[in-house]
Amino acid sequence: MRKFWQKEVRYAMSNRMREDSHEYLEINLFTPSPYEKSGAAWPIRLGHNRAKPNYHIGPRTSPYYYLIFVLDGAGTFQQNGQAYRLGKNDMFCLFPQVIHEYYTDPEAPLRKIFIAFDGKGAPRLLERIGLSQRHPHAAGMLTPEAVGLMWDFLDSVRGGGDSDLGRLVFFHQIFDRLSAIAADAAMDDTLNISWLQQGYEYMEIHYAEGITVEKVSAHVGVDRTHFTKQFRRTYGLTPIAFLQELKMREAQLLLTQTACTLSEIAHSVGYPDLFSFSKAFKKRLGTAPTQYRLQAQHELIREGN
């Protein structure tokens, strides 16, 4: 216990923390390797902060998942129309493209340590620790050991240990510890509906095989309407929207990281022809697949200059 407290004090006094109008902040940015991106999830940012009394973030959205641990202080977190009171040893998650807002109690400024990450397996990883878009906050879940792993990760990065394998080791150790805490606290009572998890996993594996919501609900043995209602309540989107999201994520990766033709990509993500794929892609992302690929290529060229 003492060594974790000592680390917190050392970091709080660190001259690596920069000051701005509403906080003191240290942040480390990672560039994910191709190996990291081939996995389910990977870290992008790691840092900690000490809020000033006027600390207030948002309303805004994030492009990544942000898992935030409250080390001390008090405040309020709002997301998906819900408000949560923040206190010591709470954890909460900012979900990508979802409007959020959080701020400190001026009388008890927040101190936080956080990790940002991405990857198509990120929602499932968060479920392992009892968090989802519908349940983005968990009160009093942190232990000194879990927080200690975050400080160890920061120590490693500051000591030059910034390899992709090293990052993944720390990243998964943190979630492994948190998942054990969540299981001990029985946090997943509403998420542990076996047939709902089976449906989620079935779609995650077979989304490119032309499956329908009717087929998924039949696979898990429940009525389609009931499946859709419970899925949306738990995961924050409909099964149809989830299938579409899975297809579009994979299509974006294939467009930017492979030389596959558009027809090959269309068939790879479960569309019968190029026309239906292009129509769905443009409706979802606001641009045609060809234009999306060209924009990504131009971006890479700019970054290389």
Side-chain angles (χ1 to χ4, degrees):
M1 182 74 175
R2 181 178 175 80
K3 69 176 182 178
F4 299 134
W5 178 82
Q6 289 174 333
K7 282 186 178 182
E8 290 188 32
V9 171
R10 186 170 74 251
Y11 275 101
M13 299 175 63
S14 168
N15 58 12
R16 296 199 181 198
M17 295 184 79
R18 61 174 176 80
E19 180 181 5
D20 63 22
S21 61
H22 68 158
E23 69 178 330
Y24 298 89
L25 172 71
E26 178 185 352
I27 190 166
N28 298 273
L29 308 180
F30 307 134
T31 301
S33 70
Y35 177 77
E36 285 175 288
K37 288 186 174 182
S38 70
W42 54 87
I44 294 175
R45 299 182 179 190
L46 177 71
H48 67 114
N49 84 322
R50 179 158 50 92
K52 294 182 178 181
N54 64 330
Y55 183 75
H56 192 139
I57 302 296
R60 69 182 189 186
T61 64
S62 166
Y64 316 117
Y65 298 85
Y66 263 86
L67 182 60
I68 302 174
F69 301 157
V70 179
L71 301 175
D72 207 355
T76 301
F77 164 53
Q78 298 175 1
Q79 189 168 258
N80 281 330
Q82 297 291 320
Y84 306 90
R85 186 64 180 161
L86 298 176
K88 184 176 181 178
N89 292 329
D90 287 7
M91 65 179 180
F92 63 102
C93 184
L94 313 179
F95 281 78
Q97 286 78 57
V98 178
I99 294 176
H100 62 260
E101 183 176 8
Y102 54 99
Y103 47 91
T104 192
D105 181 336
E107 300 300 320
L110 289 165
R111 286 198 306 114
K112 308 189 304 321
I113 188 167
F114 58 85
I115 186 166
F117 55 100
D118 204 3
K120 63 182 181 180
R124 296 294 288 161
L125 197 56
L126 285 164
E127 284 179 29
R128 297 288 294 270
I129 64 172
L131 298 179
S132 67
Q133 280 200 46
R134 185 171 174 79
H135 302 277
H137 170 262
M141 284 294 295
L142 299 180
T143 65
E145 291 77 16
V147 175
L149 284 170
M150 290 289 286
W151 291 125
D152 288 343
F153 195 175
L154 275 166
D155 272 338
S156 175
V157 172
R158 293 179 71 178
D162 188 19
S163 71
D164 55 357
L165 292 177
R167 290 192 296 264
L168 288 173
V169 168
F170 275 110
F171 181 63
H172 287 105
Q173 280 184 329
I174 290 164
F175 274 90
D176 180 57
R177 182 59 198 145
L178 290 172
S179 66
I181 297 169
D184 290 342
M187 277 291 294
D188 56 350
D189 57 333
T190 58
L191 299 178
N192 219 7
I193 306 172
S194 59
W195 59 262
L196 196 56
Q197 290 183 340
Q198 290 172 21
Y200 187 107
E201 292 168 0
Y202 187 81
M203 287 189 284
E204 205 171 34
I205 295 170
H206 301 291
Y207 68 89
E209 299 172 23
I211 60 173
T212 62
V213 177
E214 288 84 356
K215 186 172 182 178
V216 179
S217 59
H219 172 75
V220 299
V222 298
D223 175 73
R224 180 189 187 278
T225 301
H226 182 59
F227 177 76
T228 298
K229 182 179 179 180
Q230 293 300 321
F231 190 94
R232 183 171 189 172
R233 178 178 295 173
T234 301
Y235 298 110
L237 74 172
T238 65
I240 292 176
F242 181 55
L243 285 169
Q244 186 80 344
E245 180 180 300
L246 291 170
K247 292 178 179 182
M248 291 300 107
R249 284 183 185 177
E250 183 66 15
Q252 288 173 271
L253 287 174
L254 292 172
L255 285 167
T256 58
Q257 298 184 18
T258 76
C260 293
T261 67
L262 296 187
S263 293
E264 290 170 340
I265 293 174
H267 291 300
S268 296
V269 298
Y271 287 92
D273 53 58
L274 177 57
F275 175 77
S276 59
F277 165 64
S278 297
K279 183 179 179 181
F281 190 93
K282 188 171 184 178
K283 182 178 180 180
R284 175 83 175 185
L285 297 170
T287 185
T290 302
Q291 188 62 31
Y292 183 89
R293 174 173 268 174
L294 287 173
Q295 289 172 351
Q297 291 172 346
H298 291 158
E299 186 65 28
L300 284 174
I301 291 173
R302 283 198 298 269
E303 290 177 357
N305 290 335

